[in-house]
Amino acid sequence: MSDPISRLDQFRADTPGAPMKSAAEVRQRGDQIRRRQRALVTAGAVALAAVVAGPIIFLSAGFGERAIEPQPAPAPSQTPSTVAPSPSASAPASDLTRANLPTEDDLVAEDPYPQWVLEQTYDGEGRGDHNECLPALADSGALATFRRDFIPEAGQEYADSAGTLKTVVAEFGSADEAEKARAKLSDAASSCTAVDGTEVAGSLPVEGGVVTSGDINVVTYLSEDPNTNAGWEVATAVVAVEDRLVVLTRRRGAQDYVSPTTLQTSAVNAAYRLVGSSPPPATASSSASSSSSSSASAPAAVLSDAHLVVAGSLPGLPMEGESSAVWQQVAPQPTPTLYCQGAWLSSLKAAESVSREFRLENPDEIGKVNVTVLEFASKKSADAAYETVHGWLDTCPATMDDAKLFTARPVEAIEIGTTPEIDRAAQTLAEYAADCGGEGCDATWYDHQTVAQLGARLVLVTHAEAGGPCPPTRACPPEEASDYTEWDNRVAQTVEATVDRAFQDLP
């Protein structure tokens, strides 16, 4: 994975606002601006209407307020065009504007996803929820709010699976009120009681720069479609800078939890915009160094992409009358590694994990390989996780339409000829109906699912091939044991290549 901090190299010394002042100077300047502007405005809240319209992926379109064509932000000397009446003559005025929202350049995209680009800007919080876990900021006492939504750059690789990123800024009557609202929103983000079936995936603090306080909470939940294991991941950053808040919500389909360090950097950058400043080039590195210094005793990462099998090591699928279909690596999919998973892999409490997925198409999808490698803090923890996964393979408790599933044979121990020699491994074959576009058919997935352990490390492997009415055997229907040989060999080769790569650095 590339270093997300390197994406901030685009900030130059001639960027407006550079060279940057210290965090204390920025806060002092923000206080001066607010005091001066509040002395000039009448008893009312200033709201600048400017909404950018664009295409939306994942979620339904058109839930903004007063959407108009994008316009450049007014210069500081210009007067905002719309004045909203205040609830009372004594209510404090707000000088928050859309200029306090983060820009495309402030946001760090997680590798391998494309850069975030502007989709829409809203007066207020928009007509649709920007975060399914949170109450409205107006309900928390915000004097003014603005919202800006981002999507992945269209036409780029992995754009369809990167999700959406929505940002909201708000101003409160005091720093104390802002902190109370931040704590309330963070609690809502971590529990997400507004959505049924959510699971806590992880959290991360947001520190550095002008940030007063902040954190990121990540939850996951399954799709409402009962026939799939597709899931959603919602990562919510809530950050306070004195009397203002910024909320960043990244929503995407996800297979397993990945620490939201890119969102952490984006949140620090957004905090600078909140006080009317541009993020300095050193923001990301200083934030990272702050985090690393607070966890200097943490062990270095053990797993990397080097522990994941590559497409060229997977056996092709022979096609009648033509050359074999070959595997292609695809973007992370919003589905579990194993079809029979009873929960997201984050529930296993691994210290680290890396994943990769492959597909066969000819031209429709005829093969799936999913791989996840998990590193645990101890062998005891890995032993417990192995038993949990073994139980999943034995009972297949995943949420799905039971009428579409039957397990061809019970889970059984297998041998895998790799060096170093593994501790243990188990495998099952699940058969389930394929998607026929709403029409009845006999298409079936034949899905071998494997778990292997060596010390404190596990590897999970799915090798699924499409068939129907017969399995992917040499003869249909298969009559001899030899009819299964080619299929069995393909599965064994996939598992061996995957396990060998995952355990290559272990003694």
Side-chain angles (χ1 to χ4, degrees), residues 222-427:
L222 290 178
S223 166
E224 293 181 356
D225 185 348
N227 298 324
T228 70
N229 279 338
W232 288 107
E233 175 193 82
V234 181
T236 307
V238 186
V239 179
V241 183
E242 298 195 359
D243 60 347
R244 292 182 172 183
L245 285 185
V246 58
V247 179
L248 286 76
T249 302
R250 187 186 67 197
R251 185 176 188 266
R252 65 183 182 185
Q255 176 178 314
D256 299 307
Y257 172 75
V258 177
S259 183
T261 52
T262 54
L263 190 63
Q264 183 187 47
T265 301
S266 298
V268 172
N269 291 339
Y272 277 90
R273 297 291 180 190
L274 200 57
V275 294
S277 181
S278 299
T283 298
S285 58
S286 62
S287 174
S289 62
S290 173
S291 299
S292 62
S293 63
S294 64
S295 59
S297 60
V302 174
L303 299 180
S304 70
D305 285 353
H307 293 91
L308 295 169
V309 69
V310 296
S313 298
L314 302 177
L317 182 64
M319 306 299 298
E320 186 175 352
E322 54 185 296
S323 58
S324 298
V326 296
W327 294 95
Q328 300 292 329
Q329 183 178 337
V330 297
Q333 304 294 303
T335 56
T337 297
L338 304 174
Y339 187 78
C340 287
Q341 268 180 232
W344 293 106
L345 295 185
S346 57
S347 65
L348 299 177
K349 308 300 183 184
E352 298 177 48
S353 68
V354 288
S355 301
R356 183 168 287 173
E357 299 176 55
F358 306 88
R359 296 292 182 267
L360 274 178
E361 295 183 356
N362 190 52
D364 297 326
E365 191 173 273
I366 58 174
K368 299 182 288 188
V369 167
N370 303 332
V371 178
T372 294
V373 183
L374 304 122
E375 182 77 18
F376 293 83
S378 65
K379 185 178 185 300
K380 181 179 179 181
S381 297
D383 289 343
Y386 181 94
E387 294 301 330
T388 297
V389 176
H390 191 283
W392 291 344
L393 300 185
D394 190 34
T395 61
C396 204
T399 302
M400 61 189 72
D401 184 346
D402 291 337
K404 289 188 174 183
L405 168 77
F406 65 92
T407 302
R409 60 173 180 253
V411 63
E412 57 184 20
I414 62 170
E415 295 183 0
I416 305 174
T418 59
T419 303
E421 184 177 347
I422 64 171
D423 295 336
R424 54 180 173 171
Q427 185 179 86

Side-chain angles (χ1 to χ4, degrees), residues 159-238:
D160 291 342
S161 57
T164 58
L165 181 60
K166 301 179 181 182
T167 66
V168 176
V169 295
E171 186 167 271
F172 293 80
S174 67
D176 183 59
E177 290 181 29
E179 175 54 30
K180 288 180 180 178
R182 187 205 65 79
K184 175 183 176 183
L185 294 170
S186 290
D187 288 344
S190 61
S191 59
C192 200
T193 56
V195 180
D196 293 335
T198 56
E199 294 185 3
V200 176
S203 63
L204 203 65
V206 178
E207 302 169 330
V210 297
V211 172
T212 301
S213 58
D215 53 23
I216 300 173
N217 291 282
V218 185
V219 297
T220 59
Y221 60 92
L222 290 178
S223 166
E224 293 181 356
D225 185 348
N227 298 324
T228 70
N229 279 338
W232 288 107
E233 175 193 82
V234 181
T236 307
V238 186

